[in-house]
């Protein structure tokens, strides 16, 4: 079972990695245009563009607690030693991927006070939370030599989920106050959310004894705990999975922004502020899925002492097919009524976005950003994203910008990256410098294209 788990994470995320993490660096740029509205819709008011068009962009990352993911690090999922590095034998590991495809978007400044935008993107969020290395090794049959017994202590509640969805939103921003150097704006985005796929599994309080026989087969006895497996939308593991919107929901982003503007700062009229700050709540909302009842079940696990259940039963079994396998052993896996609902709601990855930007000298800025995850951890199918905190020095002009994001993540720890904007192209990574050193626990990159037409403010 461990191979499908890890491969599902890799196959869902890595194809989009050739695509950074939340546009780190670029998100602080005053010339980010319509892209900035994904993090705070109030930013539309202070955009220097009359019209800005986001042509396309890709933004992806995978991060974890324990395994190095820098250049020179590679893993073979058929190698027990490599699996041990990922699975976390000494302590549980967590792996989270994020991949965004930024679809065509456009913003329009109606006048000095009012701006609007049409936003669209596709996202995939695969995750494995509290990956229990002991359990993974037991299923893999690599517990140790014959006669060795290990104990599963039940301290780790493992959750596995993949969410794929798109959102299309209409954003608006309005200048509330612009007097005596103080500039306040507020914005909101209303979104239609289309759910493509949700797949999840949860293993709670798994306890038991695992032993290996002379043939290398591992068995569990005196085991207890619970399991839940479910799916809604498209089965991404199928060979002919296809693509389509199978569920829907509504969402919103809300934000405010403040700038202290100095009338004497006329070196570059597009950017008149000395200091800027913003607060936003993003990804408010949920998606309502119809459960695929053939694959959605909850179980109580009870393997008594003296019974030896072969864990190899689950080796190579896809997550969605685990219920069918468990149903073959009703004495050990008893169905419960925990997942009887025909529909369920998946919460969006709510976040509190904080930003601050100080103009140190002409063309040089220092930005602070925080993306604080407000995860709904009550259900295993909800996205569980880490929080990020950045300090980003940058050099910025109308046609070129360079960034050096310095970041701390609650999952992957310290990272340092690089990014740039040159004409219509922007690209970067939140962890490039640590990836080069080979000691990053995060792998990420972003790339995109956009263009805009400058706005000339009316004279009062």
């Amino acid at each position: 079972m461990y191979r499908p788990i890890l491969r599902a994470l890799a196959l869902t995320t890595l194809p989009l990695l050739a695509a950074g993490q939340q546009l780190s660096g670029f998100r602080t740029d005053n010339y980010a245009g319509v892209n900035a509205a994904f993090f705070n819709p109030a930013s539309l008011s202070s955009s220097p563009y009359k019209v800005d068009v986001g042509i396309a962009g890709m933004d992806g990352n995978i991060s974890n607690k324990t395994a190095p993911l820098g250049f020179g690090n590679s893993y073979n999922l058929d190698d027990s030693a490599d699996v041990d590095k990922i699975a976390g034998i000494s302590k549980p590991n967590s792996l989270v991927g994020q991949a965004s495809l930024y679809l065509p978007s456009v913003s329009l400044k109606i006048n000095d006070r009012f701006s609007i935008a049409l936003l669209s993107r596709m996202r995939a969020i695969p995750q494995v939370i509290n990956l229990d290395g002991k359990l993974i090794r037991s299923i893999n049959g690599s517990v140790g030599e014959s006669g060795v017994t290990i104990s599963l202590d039940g301290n780790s509640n493992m959750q596995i989920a993949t969410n794929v969805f798109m959102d299309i939103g209409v954003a608006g921003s309005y200048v509330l106050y612009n007097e005596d150097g103080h500039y306040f704006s507020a914005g909101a985005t209303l979104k239609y959310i289309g759910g493509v796929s949700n797949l999840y599994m949860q293993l709670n309080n798994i306890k038991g004894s695992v032993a290996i026989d002379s043939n290398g087969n591992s068995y569990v006895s005196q085991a207890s705990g619970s399991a839940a497996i479910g799916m809604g939308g498209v089965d991404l593991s199928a060979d002919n999975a296809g693509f389509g919107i199978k569920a829907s929901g509504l969402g919103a982003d809300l934000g405010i922004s403040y700038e202290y503007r100095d009338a004497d700062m006329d070196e570059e009229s597009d950017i008149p502020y000395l200091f800027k700050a913003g607060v936003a709540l993003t990804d408010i909302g949920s998606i309502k899925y119809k459960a695929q009842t053939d694959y959605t079940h909850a179980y109580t696990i009870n393997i008594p002492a003296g019974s030896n259940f072969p864990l190899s039963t689950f080796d190579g079994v896809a997550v969605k097919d685990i219920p069918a396998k468990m149903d073959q052993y009703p004495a050990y896996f008893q169905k419960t009524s925990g997942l009887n609902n025909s529909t369920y709601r998946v919460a969006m990855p709510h976040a509190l976005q904080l930003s601050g930007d100080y103009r140190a000298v002409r063309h040089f800025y220092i930005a602070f950003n925080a993306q604080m995850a407000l995860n709904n951890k009550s259900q295993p199918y909800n996205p569980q994203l880490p929080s990020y905190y950045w300090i980003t020095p940058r050099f910025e002009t109308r046609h070129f910008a360079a960034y050096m994001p310095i970041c701390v993540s609650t999952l992957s720890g310290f990272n340092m990256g690089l990014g740039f904007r040159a004409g219509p192209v922007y690209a970067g990574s939140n962890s490039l410098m640590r990836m080069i050193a080979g000691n990053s626990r995060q792998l990420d990159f972003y790339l995109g294209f956009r263009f805009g037409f400058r706005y000339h403010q009316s004279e009062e």
Side-chain angles (χ1 to χ4, degrees):
M1 181 177 66
Y2 80 94
R3 293 188 184 93
I5 292 172
L6 297 179
R7 284 192 175 125
L9 185 69
L11 292 174
T12 307
T13 309
L14 292 178
L16 293 172
L17 284 175
Q21 192 282 311
Q22 297 293 335
L23 302 182
S24 56
F26 180 64
R27 67 188 289 167
T28 68
D29 195 332
N30 287 298
Y31 296 91
V34 68
N35 294 280
F38 287 107
F39 309 104
N40 188 339
S43 65
L44 291 170
S45 291
S46 56
S47 172
Y49 296 110
K50 172 69 174 181
V51 177
D52 188 76
V53 178
I55 302 172
M58 296 175 288
D59 172 11
N61 85 82
I62 184 168
S63 57
N64 78 117
K65 284 185 178 181
T66 61
L69 296 176
F71 297 148
N73 298 115
S74 61
Y75 296 96
N76 180 359
L77 298 185
D78 292 316
D79 187 309
S80 296
D82 282 352
V83 171
D84 287 353
K85 293 178 184 178
I86 300 174
I89 297 301
S90 60
K91 60 180 180 179
N93 190 15
S94 292
L95 304 92
V96 177
Q98 300 175 71
S100 298
L101 177 62
Y102 290 91
L103 303 173
S105 300
V106 61
S107 65
L108 172 66
K109 184 164 289 193
I110 304 297
N111 52 44
D112 291 351
R113 286 190 174 272
F114 186 51
S115 301
I116 59 174
L118 178 65
L119 309 172
S120 61
R121 62 180 165 178
M122 174 73 67
R123 286 183 280 179
I125 306 175
Q127 64 196 37
V128 181
I129 307 299
N130 293 327
L131 185 60
D132 190 330
K134 289 183 179 180
L135 181 59
I136 296 300
R137 288 188 64 179
S138 301
I139 296 170
N140 184 30
S142 58
V143 176
E145 298 179 357
S146 176
V148 174
T149 300
I150 66 170
S151 297
L152 304 176
D153 53 24
N155 292 330
S156 175
N157 293 329
M158 187 164 66
Q159 296 181 359
I160 301 163
T162 297
N163 282 283
V164 181
F165 57 96
M166 71 173 299
D167 54 83
I168 300 174
V170 176
S173 179
Y174 188 77
V175 178
L176 302 174
Y177 184 85
N178 185 16
E179 298 288 343
D180 303 321
H182 300 289
Y183 183 93
F184 288 93
S185 62
T189 304
L190 299 179
K191 299 186 286 188
Y192 165 79
I193 310 170
V196 177
S197 179
N198 172 258
L199 173 65
Y200 66 92
M201 180 174 70
Q202 183 175 38
L203 298 175
N204 278 340
N205 302 314
I206 302 298
K207 299 179 181 179
S209 298
V210 180
I212 190 167
D213 65 15
S214 58
N215 295 320
N217 299 312
S218 56
Y219 298 85
V220 63
S221 65
Q222 202 169 353
S224 62
S226 63
I229 301 100
M231 185 169 68
V234 175
D235 177 8
L236 295 178
S237 65
D239 293 335
N240 58 346
F243 180 86
I245 302 301
K246 302 297 183 180
S248 61
L250 297 176
D253 302 335
L254 303 172
I256 58 174
S257 180
Y258 166 77
E259 297 178 13
Y260 174 68
R261 297 186 165 188
D262 189 337
D264 296 329
M265 298 182 69
D266 59 353
E267 303 103 329
E268 194 168 326
S269 58
D270 285 344
I271 315 299
Y273 68 82
L274 178 65
F275 176 77
K276 177 171 67 173
V279 179
L281 284 171
T282 56
D283 284 319
I284 303 167
S286 62
I287 303 173
K288 185 177 181 180
Y289 278 96
K290 181 178 180 180
Q292 294 197 23
T293 54
D294 290 344
Y295 304 117
T296 303
H297 299 287
Y299 298 87
T300 295
I301 300 171
N302 182 20
I303 303 175
S307 298
N308 293 314
F309 178 77
L311 284 171
S312 58
T313 302
F314 297 117
D315 195 14
V317 178
V319 172
K320 73 178 183 65
D321 294 326
I322 291 175
K325 185 66 67 173
M326 297 176 82
D327 288 343
Q328 297 176 14
Y329 304 90
Y332 299 149
F333 307 105
Q334 296 87 37
K335 282 185 178 179
T336 67
S337 59
L339 296 175
N340 280 344
N341 294 334
S342 60
T343 61
Y344 62 102
R345 287 192 174 273
V346 176
M348 290 295 92
H350 313 320
L352 174 63
Q353 309 277 356
L354 304 178
S355 63
D357 194 31
Y358 174 67
R359 182 173 179 170
V361 295
R362 183 180 182 181
H363 300 314
F364 286 92
Y365 299 78
I366 299 175
F368 164 79
N369 293 85
Q371 181 170 289
M372 304 169 67
L374 305 176
N375 298 318
N376 183 341
K377 299 181 180 180
S378 63
Q379 300 295 344
Y381 39 72
N382 291 330
Q384 304 292 330
L385 297 184
S387 296
Y388 297 90
Y389 304 88
W390 294 272
I391 293 178
T392 307
R394 77 181 187 279
F395 172 81
E396 176 187 296
T397 67
R398 289 174 186 167
H399 305 294
F400 177 80
Y403 332 105
M404 189 177 70
I406 302 167
C407 176
V408 174
S409 162
T410 54
L411 182 61
S412 59
F414 174 79
N415 282 293
M416 182 180 294
L418 293 172
F420 73 91
R421 169 181 52 84
V425 181
Y426 59 90
S429 168
N430 190 57
S431 58
L432 179 62
M433 298 176 73
R434 290 208 67 188
M435 285 193 293
I436 293 173
N439 57 3
S440 174
R441 297 194 299 273
Q442 179 171 309
L443 178 65
D444 66 273
F445 184 67
Y446 66 83
L447 172 67
F449 305 89
R450 52 147 302 281
F451 68 89
F453 302 96
R454 289 177 57 215
Y455 178 75
H456 298 282
Q457 190 171 11
S458 62
E459 295 183 6
E460 296 182 357

